[in-house]
Amino acid sequence: MTQYSVFDSEKALDYVASLAPLFNLQAPLNCYEFGDGNLNLVFRVSDSTGRSIILKQALPYARCVGESWPLTLDRARIEASVLKLHGVICPETTVKVLHQNNQLALTILEDLGQLAILRTALNNSETFPKLSKDIATHLATTSFNYSDFVLTPAKKKSLVSEFLNPELCAITEELFFDDPYHQHERNNFPITLTERVNALRSNTHLRLEVAKLKAKFLSSPQTLLHGDVHTGSIFVDANTTKVIDPEFGFFGPIGFDLGSFVGNLLLNYCAQQARIESLPQRRQMQTYLISCIAECLLTFEQSWKDLANAHSLDVTLRDPVYIEYFVGSIIQDAVGYCGTELIRRTIGLAHVADIDNIEDEQARLAVAQHTLFIGEQLILNSSSCTSQKQTMQLLLSLLN
Ligand code: SR1
Ligand code: MG
């Protein structure tokens, strides 16, 4: 079976059955599709003993829009390859790839069904003690090891060309940096936000900062990014954190992944205002989210400096003064990208369930106003944030 065709449950089951010994599965097998993401098909195949695996297949179009938005199948190769490279560095926090077939645009992955999707769990007010440290360590360690501090220039250039990923980068370039700041049919916001959106669009300082962030996204191959670290790309329980879904992976600015993650925690923070009625319970959840952000930024900052001071191979970049400067610039970028994530998830094409599932229209609107305000302020003030401490000072001033 080498010619690409879109799988249904039967085809997925047959494919897995043909390789069953590889996954230690015993017949009879059972299969169903349960993907609810924006882009792909996701099947679970389980056996008579209760063992199971996940088969993920890329569709030749964006699932959330339909066949009118064609999309490269090569994203399946990118995703499996990023998982393998990140998995070598951070096996504990990266979902395991069991099998990869680039022609069929499919990947077989370990089943993480015993864990929860972070977005769903946060929306149910669940908290996870290891989450922020795990994600910060994952992002710091993978980004350091695929940066110029470690890779030879030749290896780095060869990897950059392996992970160009132009079509998925174009989605990010447009959805993060173009659409929200212009009139575009893909944008999605209630008419009641029009005045606020127009104010964002006519803010020349904001547009300048967004243009700088886009330019950096386009032209700064600093490391092999995941490219889409939102809370739907993370599985969790009390002891485990696993990152999935890096089909947007490419060599880009290190602060992008960190900013996306923090942005999603902030989206949840704002949404909790309308989700949790009881004031003490809401305060508890929001305090947890802020402490996650603080711990994540601090762990990232310290880990990156420690790694760079101890393990940099490049004779010039390993200068402690440069390392200090460079980590500061990552934090600054992360603050800016975090702001763009808040804005695009509020008024752009791809929203988050945290906000969209708030039933009360007025409450939902108030949350959207809040995320737009925080997003805008983070973008405008990112140049004053070159450390965790400065970033937390800014954030706390915006949230109180
Ligand atoms: C058309 S894809 C929309 C969004 O879903 C993905 O998960 C990315 O976040 C992308 O921006
Ligand atoms: Mg995804």
Side-chain angles (χ1 to χ4, degrees):
M1 213 191 292
T2 52
Q3 183 76 25
Y4 177 84
S5 65
V6 175
F7 275 16
D8 54 19
S9 300
E10 203 179 323
K11 278 189 184 168
L13 190 146
D14 287 347
Y15 186 84
V16 173
S18 73
L19 299 168
L22 210 61
F23 314 121
N24 204 11
L25 295 175
Q26 315 288 329
L29 302 181
N30 178 48
C31 177
Y32 64 95
E33 205 280 328
F34 67 105
D36 63 353
N38 286 331
L39 300 178
N40 306 297
L41 293 171
V42 186
F43 301 91
R44 172 173 283 124
V45 183
S46 53
D47 77 357
S48 50
T49 71
R51 244 190 298 271
S52 57
I53 52 92
I54 297 298
L55 186 152
K56 178 170 177 181
Q57 188 185 41
L59 288 166
Y61 53 85
R63 183 178 187 165
C64 63
V65 175
E67 295 185 33
S68 63
W69 190 340
L71 210 52
T72 177
L73 295 173
D74 190 44
R75 67 188 194 271
R77 172 190 67 84
I78 299 270
E79 174 167 343
S81 308
V82 174
L83 285 174
K84 285 177 179 170
L85 290 183
H86 283 181
V88 170
I89 306 294
C90 289
E92 296 295 314
T93 46
T94 309
V95 65
K96 210 172 284 153
V97 175
L98 305 175
H99 172 79
Q100 172 179 5
N101 184 326
N102 295 338
Q103 271 127 341
L104 296 177
L106 68 80
T107 312
I108 297 185
L109 300 154
E110 67 174 313
D111 188 356
L112 300 175
Q114 76 284 8
L115 307 178
I117 293 173
L118 179 59
R119 187 181 305 289
T120 312
L122 293 178
N123 284 340
N124 292 330
S125 312
E126 292 173 50
T127 60
F128 302 92
K130 293 184 70 217
L131 170 70
S132 47
K133 265 202 178 139
D134 281 354
I135 293 297
T137 306
H138 180 94
L139 296 181
T141 315
T142 54
S143 64
F144 173 70
N145 278 285
Y146 292 104
S147 75
D148 293 307
F149 289 76
V150 174
L151 299 178
T152 63
K155 178 69 183 167
K156 166 89 181 311
K157 286 173 179 67
S158 139
L159 282 175
V160 168
S161 73
E162 218 180 289
F163 291 96
L164 288 178
N165 209 358
E167 285 192 35
L168 275 82
C169 283
I171 293 179
T172 303
E173 287 146 20
E174 291 168 13
L175 297 191
F176 270 73
F177 309 113
D178 298 349
D179 293 3
Y181 309 94
H182 299 91
Q183 163 70 31
H184 198 291
E185 62 185 10
R186 276 188 304 232
N187 285 325
N188 172 16
F189 56 85
I191 198 155
T192 34
L193 274 182
T194 306
E195 211 176 304
R196 180 69 182 104
V197 171
N198 287 341
L200 280 178
R201 289 176 182 169
S202 53
N203 183 335
T204 47
H205 185 188
L206 184 73
R207 283 165 45 173
L208 170 65
E209 293 307 315
V210 171
K212 287 186 201 167
L213 289 162
K214 181 177 182 185
K216 195 151 203 180
F217 186 86
L218 288 164
S219 309
S220 298
Q222 292 177 339
T223 199
L224 179 57
L225 291 177
H226 175 286
D228 197 21
V229 187
H230 58 80
T231 47
S233 298
I234 298 169
F235 274 91
V236 271
D237 72 9
N239 307 307
T240 317
T241 311
K242 295 274 184 189
V243 179
I244 63 163
D245 225 8
E247 67 205 304
F248 285 77
F250 81 115
F251 273 77
I254 293 171
F256 184 76
D257 281 350
L258 180 63
S260 300
F261 176 63
V262 172
N264 276 265
L265 295 182
L266 282 173
L267 286 162
N268 192 264
Y269 176 101
C270 296
Q272 295 300 357
Q273 199 64 30
R275 287 182 157 273
I276 306 179
E277 215 175 307
S278 140
L279 186 58
Q281 280 170 19
R282 190 194 315 144
R283 284 239 168 97
Q284 201 179 2
M285 186 63 193
Q286 290 182 322
T287 303
Y288 164 74
L289 290 163
I290 291 299
S291 72
C292 263
I293 294 170
E295 185 174 59
C296 176
L297 291 171
L298 193 60
T299 307
F300 181 94
E301 184 180 25
Q302 283 174 346
S303 305
W304 230 97
K305 286 181 187 171
D306 291 348
L307 286 164
N309 282 307
H311 301 292
S312 292
L313 298 178
D314 186 278
V315 69
T316 302
L317 303 187
R318 72 182 174 205
D319 186 324
V321 180
Y322 181 69
I323 291 169
E324 196 65 26
Y325 157 81
F326 187 75
V327 174
S329 74
I330 299 176
I331 305 278
Q332 180 178 331
D333 292 346
V335 173
Y337 289 123
C338 175
T340 59
E341 174 70 348
L342 286 166
I343 291 178
R344 73 109 178 189
R345 292 291 190 184
T346 309
I347 60 174
L349 168 79
H351 286 207
V352 290
D354 317 35
I355 301 175
D356 277 13
N357 292 353
I358 295 168
E359 274 171 29
D360 183 276
E361 199 185 326
Q362 286 313 312
R364 196 168 60 244
L365 199 63
V367 171
Q369 293 276 13
H370 197 199
T371 55
L372 290 180
F373 168 73
I374 296 170
E376 177 188 42
Q377 292 304 313
L378 290 176
I379 296 170
L380 290 173
N381 294 294
S382 63
S383 62
S384 66
C385 299
T386 54
S387 66
Q388 182 263 10
K389 196 170 167 206
Q390 291 166 334
T391 306
M392 290 313 298
Q393 264 167 8
L394 172 64
L395 254 183
L396 293 173
S397 76
L398 298 175
L399 296 174
N400 288 324

